[in-house]
Amino acid sequence: MATPELDRIDRKILDVLQRNARVPLTELAQEVGLSASPVSERVRRLERSGVITGYHAHVNPQALGRPLLVFVELTLSSKSGELFQKLRDELLHEPRVLECHLVSGHFDYLIKARLSAMSEYRELLAQILRKIPVPAQSNSYVVMEEIKEGLALPLDLS
Amino acid sequence: MATPELDRIDRKILDVLQRNARVPLTELAQEVGLSASPVSERVRRLERSGVITGYHAHVNPQALGRPLLVFVELTLSSKSGELFQKLRDELLHEPRVLECHLVSGHFDYLIKARLSAMSEYRELLAQILRKIPVPAQSNSYVVMEEIKEGLALPLDLS
DNA sequence: GCTGAAACTGAATAGTT
DNA sequence: AACTATTCAGTTTCAGC
């Protein structure tokens, strides 16, 4: 997990795998200009060193009946570490919550959730607030159009 | 691309592939309780029908020198369709912007970006605002702790 | 540290129930 | 619609450079 040096070939491998995690090793090898065996070793090294943290299928939310994307800004009236831990646990185990971040600024948490309908939003928010024993303030933002969504990071291929 | 029926086995397949996109077909077949060939057909069908939209390696942002995660709320003073299109194009082609959504509420756009440092944030915001010919207001939120980040959707496996 | 070949493992296809 | 057997493609290992 120590930060390893990433050379040009490693970065190219990451670039390809970010776009298509199921590309055959032989094809990946062609794209980076090596034979299959060193590429296999490099991929394994990137996995073991924690540079690649996983391979995930991306599924269309509409197909699973979750057309609603909502962001919630949450502010807690008390900011004890114990309280934050309680909320963290609740959000981690709630699969409708795709993202959750502790932020600096006008509120404490930014939460991203995919839901079936607005009725589910009210239900989810009530469920979260029920778990924390102090008043909390929330602002929600319903996404009208998804311009872009992904996790792929830019790579310098020079 | 028409919404297909997803039976119990399809949902189980999606559940497994969301967690590990590179699981061997034979292992996937075991987990869902079928032999490899029908599972292969089902996966292909899920891909062709648009339920599975891709397979992506998840890369550690720290390893690529992007320790800073920032959310930006953007409000445009004029809301013409042409202006929105111009901004959309700019954000789509900016790889440091991982997400961008048009929202309803107190601002117009919510943007998520991964950056190397605060200096890069100032530079990115200036670059974006330079492209739009009207005043815009922005609020930014720096992430202090990432509790959860993913794209995996919940699946009913019953 | 990469190449290339050989051995092995997993995937795709066709034919059967 | 799924299973089995066969064929084919992809991956891993290892000797040589």
PDB file of all heavy atoms in Angstrom, chain A residues 27 29 33 50 65 108 111 119:
ATOM      1  N   GLU A  27      -5.112  -8.201 -25.518  1.00  0.00           N
ATOM      2  CA  GLU A  27      -5.451  -6.933 -26.156  1.00  0.00           C
ATOM      3  C   GLU A  27      -4.828  -5.760 -25.389  1.00  0.00           C
ATOM      4  O   GLU A  27      -4.279  -4.833 -25.984  1.00  0.00           O
ATOM      5  CB  GLU A  27      -6.984  -6.800 -26.196  1.00  0.00           C
ATOM      6  CG  GLU A  27      -7.500  -5.742 -27.144  1.00  0.00           C
ATOM      7  CD  GLU A  27      -9.019  -5.694 -27.135  1.00  0.00           C
ATOM      8  OE1 GLU A  27      -9.653  -6.779 -27.059  1.00  0.00           O
ATOM      9  OE2 GLU A  27      -9.574  -4.578 -27.162  1.00  0.00           O
ATOM     10  N   ALA A  29      -2.170  -5.903 -23.645  1.00  0.00           N
ATOM     11  CA  ALA A  29      -0.735  -5.969 -23.928  1.00  0.00           C
ATOM     12  C   ALA A  29      -0.403  -5.271 -25.249  1.00  0.00           C
ATOM     13  O   ALA A  29       0.555  -4.503 -25.337  1.00  0.00           O
ATOM     14  CB  ALA A  29      -0.283  -7.423 -23.964  1.00  0.00           C
ATOM     15  N   GLY A  33       1.953  -2.057 -25.824  1.00  0.00           N
ATOM     16  CA  GLY A  33       3.179  -2.362 -26.553  1.00  0.00           C
ATOM     17  C   GLY A  33       4.115  -3.347 -25.878  1.00  0.00           C
ATOM     18  O   GLY A  33       5.325  -3.292 -26.071  1.00  0.00           O
ATOM     19  N   GLY A  50      -2.670  -1.577  -4.082  1.00  0.00           N
ATOM     20  CA  GLY A  50      -3.796  -0.709  -3.745  1.00  0.00           C
ATOM     21  C   GLY A  50      -4.040   0.422  -4.722  1.00  0.00           C
ATOM     22  O   GLY A  50      -4.827   1.319  -4.443  1.00  0.00           O
ATOM     23  N   GLY A  65     -35.152   0.462 -11.597  1.00  0.00           N
ATOM     24  CA  GLY A  65     -36.258   1.176 -10.954  1.00  0.00           C
ATOM     25  C   GLY A  65     -35.825   2.259  -9.990  1.00  0.00           C
ATOM     26  O   GLY A  65     -36.493   2.506  -8.992  1.00  0.00           O
ATOM     27  N   ASP A 108     -22.405  19.853   7.051  1.00  0.00           N
ATOM     28  CA  ASP A 108     -21.464  18.826   7.502  1.00  0.00           C
ATOM     29  C   ASP A 108     -21.302  17.676   6.511  1.00  0.00           C
ATOM     30  O   ASP A 108     -20.190  17.287   6.159  1.00  0.00           O
ATOM     31  CB  ASP A 108     -21.950  18.240   8.840  1.00  0.00           C
ATOM     32  CG  ASP A 108     -21.984  19.290   9.935  1.00  0.00           C
ATOM     33  OD1 ASP A 108     -21.083  20.153   9.941  1.00  0.00           O
ATOM     34  OD2 ASP A 108     -22.912  19.257  10.765  1.00  0.00           O
ATOM     35  N   ILE A 111     -24.619  13.926   0.856  1.00  0.00           N
ATOM     36  CA  ILE A 111     -25.070  12.551   0.632  1.00  0.00           C
ATOM     37  C   ILE A 111     -25.688  12.450  -0.755  1.00  0.00           C
ATOM     38  O   ILE A 111     -26.432  13.341  -1.181  1.00  0.00           O
ATOM     39  CB  ILE A 111     -26.105  12.160   1.714  1.00  0.00           C
ATOM     40  CG1 ILE A 111     -25.430  12.103   3.087  1.00  0.00           C
ATOM     41  CG2 ILE A 111     -26.776  10.839   1.374  1.00  0.00           C
ATOM     42  CD1 ILE A 111     -26.406  12.176   4.241  1.00  0.00           C
ATOM     43  N   SER A 119     -41.449   9.643  -2.624  1.00  0.00           N
ATOM     44  CA  SER A 119     -41.944   9.058  -1.371  1.00  0.00           C
ATOM     45  C   SER A 119     -40.819   8.299  -0.662  1.00  0.00           C
ATOM     46  O   SER A 119     -40.738   8.299   0.568  1.00  0.00           O
ATOM     47  CB  SER A 119     -43.113   8.112  -1.650  1.00  0.00           C
ATOM     48  OG  SER A 119     -42.707   7.094  -2.542  1.00  0.00           O
TER      49      SER A 119
END
